[in-house]
Amino acid sequence: METTPSTGRSSERYTALNTAVHSPPRKIERIMNAQGKTAPVSEYFGSMTFGLAQMREKLPKDAFVSLLKTLDQGKKLQKETAEAIASAIKEWAVTKGTTHFCHWFQPMTGLTAEKHDAFISIQHSQHSELRVIERFTGSQLIQGEPDASSFPSGGMRSTFEARGYTAWDPTSPIFIIEDEGGRTLCIPTVFFGYHGQALDNKTPLLRSIEALNTEACDFLKLVGDVDVKRITATLGAEQEYFLIDRNFVALRPDLIMTGRTLLGASSPRGQQLEDHYFGSIPRRIKNFMEDAEHELYKLGIPVKTRHNEVAPSQFELAPIFEDVNISADHNTLTMEVLKRIALRHGLVCLLHEKPFAGINGSGKHNNWSMSNDKGENLLEPGTTPHQNLRFLAVLSVVLKAVHDHADVLRASIATPGNDHRLGANEAPPAIISVFLGSLLSQILDSIEAGKVAAATEGSIIDLGVGKIPNISKDYTDRNRTSPFAFTGNKFEFRAVGSSANVAVPMAILNAAVADAFHEATTKLKKLLSQKANRDEAVIEMIKGFVKDTKAVRFEGNGYSEEWKVEAKKRGLPILSSSAEALEILKDEKATAFLVRQKVLSGDEIAARYHINVERYVKTLEIEMYTLSELVTTHVIPAIERHIVALHGTHESLMSNSVKKTHADRVKSLEGVFEEVLKGLEKLNETMEKIHGKTDETEKMKALSTLASMASNELRSAADQAEGLVADDLWPLPKYREMLFANTLS
C-alpha cells in the first residue's frame, strides 16, 4: 500500500489507515493471585467500591445499624454515624493510594461532573510547625457546595446565584476511579439548588423509586400480598457503541466537534452481508473489551455479555440486572470507562446515536422490571393461582402507564441524536406502543371478552372466578420493531438513545407506573366494596385496564407505513421529532402525573423543557456551523484541486473517444461542484435567518425543519463529490476506512 501519495493532504489518511491496520494489541495489566496466575473475577469484583458489604465489615455495629435505618426508613443520618462512615471510607481510600475525593453528580448537561479536593489538612503544632495529615469528615461526605452558576437550571435560579449543593446518595456504592493521573474517590450524590430544586438527573429518579414503592405496595396489599414491605424497580441497560481508530477521528473535524460524521459517502460494503452481527470479535477490539471489563469489574459493574452488533465497528455490552438507581449510575460510569479505555488502545468510543449514515445507529435497551422484598419478580409469571393473578394485574398496570403517558415517555428520550435513529428501519419507531407476544395477547383478549383462554391440556387453573391458563414464559419471537416490548419477565424499552442518561426515561417510567398503580388501587377499592370475592374484583379491574389500553398494544411491524396510519386511527401520539416531543413538557395536563407523584414539580418540569430546547438548539447549531466549515475548508478545495488537475491534462495525447469521456468527467464534477456551492450558500443563508430569531422554541423548530433540510441537501452534494474526486486528493477518512480497518487488525 502506498503510504505517502505525492499530492494532497490525504497522505495523513493513508498514514492513519496504515497505523490502524498494523496496530498491535495493547498489553493489559491483570490482577494476579497468590499463585502468580490471573485472578478470577470473583476475587477482585468490586475491589474499587465501598458499599454496604464493606461498611458492614469496617463500621462499628451501632453505626451500621444507624445507616440501615437511614436507607430503609428514610431517617436522618446521625452526625456520629456520618463521622464513623467518613473515617472508614478515608482509611480504605488512602490504603488504595487515593489522594483526592469528589462528589460525583449528574447535572442536566447529560454528562457527569466532579470537583476534586485533596484529603490533606493542616495541623499546627505548639511550636507553630505545619503538619499535613489525611482528613475526611462526616460533613465532607454528606454535603458539598460546588459552584453551580455554569450548570443549566432552566430559570429555576438567577445566573448570579452560584450556590448548588451536592448530597451523598448512600444507596449507591462509593467508588475509586484510577487512571494515569492517579486515583480519586468518587461519592455518588444528588445536586440541588438553594431552595431544594433538583438540578440533576438522579434526584427525580430517587423520587420516582419512592413513589413506585409507595403506590405498588398499596395496590399489592389489596391484591393479597398483605406482608409486602418494599417494591423496587430493576434495570439492565444494554449499551451499544462504535469504536474508531483515533487517527481517523483526528482527521474528522465533524467527529471531534459533534460525535458524528456530517459528511461521508456510503461504502460499497456496509452491513448488507450481515456478517458482522455476532461475528468473531477482531483481536484489537477484544483486547479493548477485556481491558474495559477488567476496569468495570473492579468498579462492581456486573458486565455479562459482549458481542459485535449489526453495523461494522459497532459493538454491545450488557450487564446483569441491578436496582434501577445503581444500574443508572453504573451505566453512566460504564460510558465514561468505555471512552477512557478506548483511548488507551488508540481508539475512540463513539456513543452518538447515529455516527454514520446508511448503517445502523446505536441504542440503549433498558430492560426494566419490578421485584418485591422477597426477591420475586412481579413481571414473572408464577406457579400458583395467586402469582399468576398478581402478574396479570401488574402487567395491566404497566399497560395503563404506557398508554396514558406515551407522549411524556416519548419526550423523555427526545434528543437530536436519537432523531436520526428513531423511525428508521433499524430502530423502534417514534410511536410508543407495547408488544406482548401471541400468548399474552390471547390471554388478555380472552379476559376482555370474559371467555376462557385456549390453553394446552393441564394448563388451566381454577381461580374460583372462571379459568385462566397457567402462564409460562412466552416463546413468541422478539419484535425488534417495538419500542416497549415484553420479553418474558421484563419490559425492554428499546427506544432510549445510546448516549442518554437512563435516569431520565427511567424516572418517567417509574412515575407513570406509580400513577397507574394509584389509579388501580382506587378502582380496586371500589370494586372490593361491590364484590365479596377479592379475585373477582381483581379480574374485573384487569379487564377494565385491558380494555382501556388496547390501542397501545401492537404485535406487527413497527417500521411499516401502515402502522403509522393505524396508530393515527387509534389516537396514539405520533411525535416524529424531538422538536415535537419536547413540546409535550409544556402540557400541564400531560405532565400532571409527575407532580402528583412528587417526582418533578411544575417549575422543575418547565426548567427541563427550557434546558432541553436550549441543548437541542446548541447541538444543531454546532452541527450546521461545523458542516459549513468542513465543506468550505475541506470539500471545496479538494474539488477545486481535482478540476484544476483535469483541466491541466494534455488533451493532445488523447484519442477522440477518450477526449469525450474526459470532457464528461470534467462536466460531471463541475456540475456537482456547483451543487455543493449552492448547497453551502443555502445553508449559510438559512442559519443566518435562524440565528436572528430570539425565541428558543422558534429556533428549535426552524433548525429541525429548514436547517436540517438544507444540511441534507449540502451533504448529498458533498457525498457525490467524494465519489468523483481522486482518492489521493480527498482529505477526509472515508467510511470504508473508518468502519473496516478494525476488521483487519
Side-chain angles (χ1 to χ4, degrees):
M1 177 187 297
E2 182 184 358
T3 57
T4 55
S6 57
T7 59
R9 240 183 105 221
S10 60
S11 59
E12 297 174 8
R13 256 182 58 215
Y14 284 82
T15 301
L17 179 60
N18 193 47
T19 303
V21 170
H22 297 102
S23 179
R26 183 183 186 275
K27 185 177 180 180
I28 304 171
E29 295 182 9
R30 298 295 189 205
I31 294 175
M32 312 303 287
N33 60 19
Q35 291 73 41
K37 297 182 179 179
T38 301
V41 173
S42 58
E43 288 189 10
Y44 64 89
F45 185 83
S47 60
M48 287 297 175
T49 63
F50 198 87
L52 282 180
Q54 292 77 12
M55 291 183 187
R56 182 184 293 108
E57 178 185 342
K58 302 286 186 183
L59 291 178
K61 186 175 180 180
D62 58 343
F64 184 70
V65 170
S66 177
L67 174 63
L68 290 182
K69 287 182 180 178
T70 297
L71 295 175
D72 296 338
Q73 303 170 23
K75 292 189 175 182
K76 186 176 181 180
L77 193 66
Q78 298 296 317
K79 182 179 179 182
E80 297 77 12
T81 303
E83 291 295 343
I85 296 172
S87 177
I89 291 171
K90 188 261 293 181
E91 292 301 322
W92 170 77
V94 170
T95 60
K96 293 283 188 181
T98 304
T99 58
H100 289 68
F101 71 92
C102 73
H103 277 193
W104 185 77
F105 59 102
Q106 301 168 35
M108 291 181 286
T109 56
L111 306 171
T112 61
E114 54 198 57
K115 174 174 71 75
H116 296 193
D117 287 300
F119 280 121
I120 64 167
S121 183
I122 299 295
Q123 268 191 350
H124 294 270
S125 70
Q126 59 181 355
H127 302 293
S128 299
E129 293 179 346
L130 296 182
R131 182 176 170 225
V132 173
I133 62 169
E134 274 82 18
R135 188 166 180 263
F136 184 55
T137 66
S139 60
Q140 288 174 313
L141 166 66
I142 291 173
Q143 185 168 312
E145 187 182 335
D147 182 350
S149 59
S150 294
F151 291 109
S153 68
M156 286 188 289
R157 51 172 172 65
S158 302
T159 54
F160 59 80
E161 295 174 331
R163 280 192 175 184
Y165 300 91
T166 53
W168 177 37
D169 170 19
T171 62
S172 189
I174 290 168
F175 57 92
I176 292 174
I177 287 293
E178 56 179 339
D179 54 29
E180 292 75 7
R183 293 182 174 183
T184 304
L185 179 76
C186 298
I187 304 163
T189 59
V190 296
F191 183 46
F192 55 95
Y194 182 76
H195 298 290
Q197 315 99 321
L199 300 177
D200 67 343
N201 292 320
K202 180 188 261 285
T203 300
L205 178 62
L206 292 175
R207 292 173 181 169
S208 76
I209 291 169
E210 287 308 310
L212 182 63
N213 170 55
T214 300
E215 302 289 7
C217 283
D218 288 348
F219 175 76
L220 291 171
K221 285 174 181 176
L222 287 180
V223 172
D225 287 3
V226 293
D227 58 344
V228 65
K229 294 182 177 64
R230 184 159 187 85
I231 298 299
T232 57
T234 58
L235 177 67
E238 303 169 13
Q239 181 67 56
E240 294 177 343
Y241 58 95
F242 281 83
L243 289 172
I244 306 299
D245 190 279
R246 68 188 299 177
N247 292 296
F248 291 139
V249 175
L251 297 176
R252 296 282 318 207
D254 46 358
L255 280 177
I256 293 172
M257 298 301 293
T258 72
R260 76 181 184 99
T261 54
L262 303 175
L263 298 174
S266 296
S267 167
R269 176 185 169 189
Q271 62 189 48
Q272 64 267 47
L273 294 178
E274 300 171 337
D275 56 343
H276 192 257
Y277 190 57
F278 277 23
S280 177
I281 301 173
R283 180 185 61 165
R284 185 182 184 190
I285 302 305
K286 188 178 179 183
N287 194 240
F288 153 80
M289 288 178 170
E290 290 176 350
D291 200 3
E293 288 168 356
H294 185 69
E295 294 298 317
L296 293 171
Y297 288 145
K298 288 192 290 183
L299 291 167
I301 301 175
V303 181
K304 179 73 173 177
T305 304
R306 66 188 184 204
H307 63 83
N308 288 0
E309 253 300 333
V310 173
S313 286
Q314 185 188 33
F315 310 93
E316 182 178 290
L317 169 154
I320 297 171
F321 281 63
E322 299 180 280
D323 169 87
V324 67
N325 177 44
I326 295 174
S327 180
D329 280 0
H330 277 174
N331 179 255
T332 302
L333 189 53
T334 294
M335 291 192 287
E336 294 180 350
V337 169
L338 290 177
K339 289 189 288 187
R340 176 163 52 85
I341 302 303
L343 293 174
R344 283 187 192 173
H345 293 258
L347 299 164
V348 172
C349 176
L350 300 178
L351 294 171
H352 193 285
E353 284 74 16
K354 193 74 171 179
F356 300 95
I359 61 172
N360 277 19
S362 296
K364 180 148 39 197
H365 305 161
N366 282 233
N367 296 282
W368 176 92
S369 189
M370 292 173 285
S371 61
N372 60 21
D373 46 290
K374 296 177 183 178
E376 296 172 331
N377 185 343
L378 299 183
L379 289 173
E380 180 83 64
T383 56
T384 68
H386 171 70
Q387 288 173 338
N388 278 328
L389 187 61
R390 181 183 68 188
F391 163 72
L392 289 171
V394 172
L395 181 71
S396 70
V397 166
V398 177
L399 286 174
K400 183 71 170 170
V402 178
H403 176 272
D404 291 359
H405 307 298
D407 47 3
V408 184
L409 283 169
R410 170 67 182 92
S412 75
I413 57 170
T415 65
N418 222 12
D419 277 355
H420 294 286
R421 171 179 165 264
L422 293 181
N425 288 343
E426 57 170 88
I431 305 166
I432 301 295
S433 65
V434 178
F435 170 82
L436 293 179
S438 58
L439 176 61
L440 277 180
S441 293
Q442 181 185 6
I443 291 170
L444 296 188
D445 288 344
S446 297
I447 290 174
E448 181 187 357
K451 299 176 181 177
V452 177
T456 58
E457 185 178 353
S459 67
I460 300 294
I461 292 178
D462 190 347
L463 292 176
V465 293
K467 297 183 177 183
I468 64 170
N470 182 15
I471 304 161
S472 60
K473 284 188 179 179
D474 185 7
Y475 294 101
T476 300
D477 195 13
R478 290 175 65 194
N479 188 333
R480 294 179 62 87
T481 73
S482 175
F484 200 83
F486 186 74
T487 56
N489 61 0
K490 62 188 183 298
F491 277 99
E492 186 178 24
F493 195 5
R494 296 175 53 85
V496 182
S498 54
S499 67
N501 184 326
V502 298
V504 177
M506 289 303 101
I508 302 302
L509 177 58
N510 285 347
V513 175
D515 208 55
F517 268 126
H518 182 82
E519 187 173 342
T521 299
T522 303
K523 185 172 184 177
L524 187 53
K525 282 181 179 178
K526 184 177 180 180
L527 289 168
L528 286 170
S529 69
Q530 300 168 353
K531 295 179 180 290
N533 187 295
R534 181 183 62 200
D535 289 349
E536 286 184 359
V538 175
I539 285 288
E540 191 65 26
M541 184 227 79
I542 294 171
K543 182 178 179 180
F545 273 18
V546 168
K547 191 173 183 179
D548 291 345
T549 62
K550 196 165 186 176
V552 84
R553 287 162 44 201
F554 179 64
E555 304 294 306
N557 181 8
Y559 296 161
S560 68
E561 290 299 317
E562 291 80 8
W563 168 230
K564 294 178 184 177
V565 175
E566 174 63 22
K568 188 174 182 180
K569 286 181 182 177
R570 295 186 185 189
L572 297 180
I574 301 176
L575 305 167
S576 302
S577 70
S578 291
E580 296 173 85
L582 290 175
E583 288 297 295
I584 295 298
L585 297 180
K586 293 164 65 176
D587 186 337
E588 292 184 4
K589 185 178 179 181
T591 60
F593 73 100
L594 297 172
V595 180
R596 281 196 300 270
Q597 294 301 327
K598 299 179 180 178
V599 172
L600 288 169
S601 68
D603 287 344
E604 288 170 336
I605 295 169
R608 277 154 178 76
Y609 168 76
H610 291 297
I611 289 168
N612 278 295
V613 169
E614 181 183 36
R615 190 165 186 80
Y616 184 96
V617 167
K618 289 179 177 178
T619 298
L620 262 68
E621 283 182 337
I622 290 170
E623 289 187 356
M624 299 304 165
Y625 292 135
T626 300
L627 174 60
S628 176
E629 181 184 334
L630 196 59
V631 170
T632 301
T633 61
H634 288 69
V635 174
I636 289 175
I639 300 173
E640 288 172 335
R641 283 196 297 269
H642 195 184
I643 289 175
V644 168
L646 288 173
H647 280 297
T649 303
H650 293 288
E651 293 190 20
S652 58
L653 302 177
M654 298 180 185
S655 64
N656 289 333
S657 61
V658 172
K659 284 181 182 179
K660 183 179 184 306
T661 301
H662 179 73
D664 289 342
R665 286 185 65 198
V666 175
K667 184 178 180 181
S668 178
L669 184 57
E670 288 179 338
V672 170
F673 189 26
E674 186 176 352
E675 291 301 311
V676 169
L677 294 175
K678 286 180 180 177
L680 179 61
E681 183 180 12
K682 182 177 179 179
L683 177 63
N684 289 339
E685 288 177 352
T686 301
M687 289 305 297
E688 188 175 347
K689 291 178 183 176
I690 293 174
H691 186 70
K693 295 181 181 293
T694 56
D695 183 89
E696 290 293 286
T697 302
E698 286 186 17
K699 268 190 177 182
M700 175 179 69
K701 292 177 180 178
L703 285 164
S704 175
T705 53
L706 301 177
S708 293
M709 288 172 58
S711 68
N712 289 338
E713 290 175 12
L714 176 56
R715 173 174 187 153
S716 178
D719 290 352
Q720 276 187 276
E722 182 182 326
L724 297 174
V725 171
D727 191 66
D728 68 333
L729 296 177
W730 194 259
L732 302 170
K734 298 187 176 185
Y735 273 24
R736 66 167 183 261
E737 296 158 356
M738 292 185 284
L739 293 172
F740 290 98
N742 287 331
T743 65
L744 304 176
S745 60

